[in-house]
Amino acid sequence: DKEYVGFATLPNQVHRKSVKKGFDFTLMVAGESGLGKSTLVNSLFLTDMYRDRKLLNAEERITQTVEITKHVVDIEEKGVKLRLTIVDTPGFGDAVNNTECWKPVADYIDQQFEQYFRDESGLNRKNIQDNRVHCCIYFISPFGHGLRPLDVEFMRALHQRVNIVPVLAKADTLTPAEVERMKNKIREEIDHYGIRIYQFPECDSDEDEEFKLQDQALKESIPFAVIGSNTVVEAKGRRVRGRLYPWGIVEVENPSHCDFVKLRTMLVRTHMQDLKDVTRETH
Ligand code: GDP
Ligand code: MG
């Protein structure tokens, strides 16, 4: 029972030609430190991105991220190749002075656009590597009362540069009612402060009803409530990725526990191509 990330359906999203070459996708994670950014990307792609670090076990291996780091993983599923780049950013909040903590991240994104532009205007246009950041998952703390001033500042500094997908981090620390309340508050504030997050494209009118309902559910889940874990636990005889508590088990991939599967489905199965198109055409 090999696990799949699910991007083998990508050929439906694009032209056949890209299938042979494989896909490039760059995903960035940003937000306050300690919110589970590094853990979540590991959980998302079922790979230990940090395996080259010489420490004992997976849990320990994720040490604090102190500078912008790039991890490239090549994954292949059912004959479809994906070259995935994860850009991990140092979380802010640790420093005494957090003024312009978004600056290095914004600069990094700009540099990738500039590099791509230079390559595109150069002589060897055939084998350009696209390192532009196609999506930024922005982590919001579950311990506050909505967005913090830094969150607003950070997202506003980035929203013209990159597709921002906001997530409510560590959703296992909240009750379902609290999750709903926080989501509503965050949505209101995103609106109030004029933050332009990634807009899901309108559904084609000729899509079937089931697809439309799924699409609607996806849009209404923003910000996705997520839970990350690098450990496999046993729940009712099944081995699942989860977090173990004295009162029970939180399953990362259980849709009634959090929106993890929705986030992953949207990133790799349904909206990867749109995220790339918007990056190219708008950002
Ligand atoms: P980062 O600084 O944002 O990259 O955060 P890390 O991924 O390094 O995680 C910080 C700590 O939070 C670690 O001890 C993780 O095991 C823990 N953690 C990560 N994700 C979750 C989650 O979804 N829920 C809970 N309760 N803890 C988490
Ligand atoms: Mg980290």
Side-chain angles (χ1 to χ4, degrees), residues 83-102:
R83 180 174 173 273
L84 176 75
T85 307
I86 301 288
V87 181
D88 201 350
T89 63
F92 55 83
D94 288 342
V96 179
N97 182 358
N98 286 303
T99 325
E100 302 213 324
C101 54
W102 45 267

Side-chain angles (χ1 to χ4, degrees), residues 209-221:
E209 279 310 307
E210 197 198 342
F211 185 94
K212 281 183 191 162
L213 285 175
Q214 256 181 351
D215 193 63
Q216 185 69 14
L218 193 70
K219 289 172 184 165
E220 283 167 1
S221 307

Side-chain angles (χ1 to χ4, degrees), residues 70-86:
K70 236 171 85 169
H71 304 271
V72 181
V73 277
D74 288 295
I75 4 188
E76 185 169 345
E77 268 180 28
K78 303 178 185 168
V80 180
K81 283 186 218 129
L82 175 68
R83 180 174 173 273
L84 176 75
T85 307
I86 301 288

Side-chain angles (χ1 to χ4, degrees), residues 90-235:
F92 55 83
D94 288 342
V96 179
N97 182 358
N98 286 303
T99 325
E100 302 213 324
C101 54
W102 45 267
K103 193 82 172 52
V105 179
D107 287 346
Y108 179 89
I109 298 172
D110 289 347
Q111 280 158 19
Q112 310 313 308
F113 276 120
E114 281 156 25
Q115 181 65 48
Y116 191 83
F117 180 74
R118 266 200 304 277
D119 290 350
E120 226 181 15
S121 338
L123 288 174
N124 184 14
R125 264 169 298 192
K126 253 203 170 133
N127 298 308
I128 302 180
Q129 269 209 0
D130 185 1
N131 286 316
R132 293 172 295 185
V133 182
H134 300 114
C135 180
C136 173
I137 305 185
Y138 189 84
F139 285 67
I140 298 161
S141 170
F143 308 117
H145 300 281
L147 297 181
R148 296 178 176 181
L150 262 179
D151 293 325
V152 175
E153 203 185 312
F154 206 99
M155 285 194 274
R156 286 181 57 110
L158 294 194
H159 67 186
Q160 285 189 314
R161 296 175 157 96
V162 68
N163 292 311
I164 298 176
V165 173
V167 299
L168 176 56
K170 298 189 172 178
D172 55 321
T173 61
L174 302 175
T175 66
E178 287 168 336
V179 166
E180 274 324 300
R181 212 175 310 138
M182 269 294 269
K183 281 188 170 196
N184 280 325
K185 187 84 192 297
I186 291 165
R187 280 194 291 259
E188 271 168 35
E189 290 182 333
I190 283 175
D191 208 45
H192 175 79
Y193 291 108
I195 299 166
R196 265 161 301 156
I197 56 171
Y198 171 62
Q199 293 299 311
F200 291 95
E202 290 294 320
C203 213
D204 283 342
S205 52
D206 57 353
E207 294 286 0
D208 60 44
E209 279 310 307
E210 197 198 342
F211 185 94
K212 281 183 191 162
L213 285 175
Q214 256 181 351
D215 193 63
Q216 185 69 14
L218 193 70
K219 289 172 184 165
E220 283 167 1
S221 307
I222 299 286
F224 297 116
V226 295
I227 299 167
S229 164
N230 291 310
T231 40
V232 172
V233 291
E234 195 156 323

Side-chain angles (χ1 to χ4, degrees), residues 34 36-39 50 62-65 88-89 91:
K37 295 184 292 298
S38 302
T39 308
Y50 306 88
I62 297 182
T63 50
Q64 227 182 335
T65 318
D88 201 350
T89 63

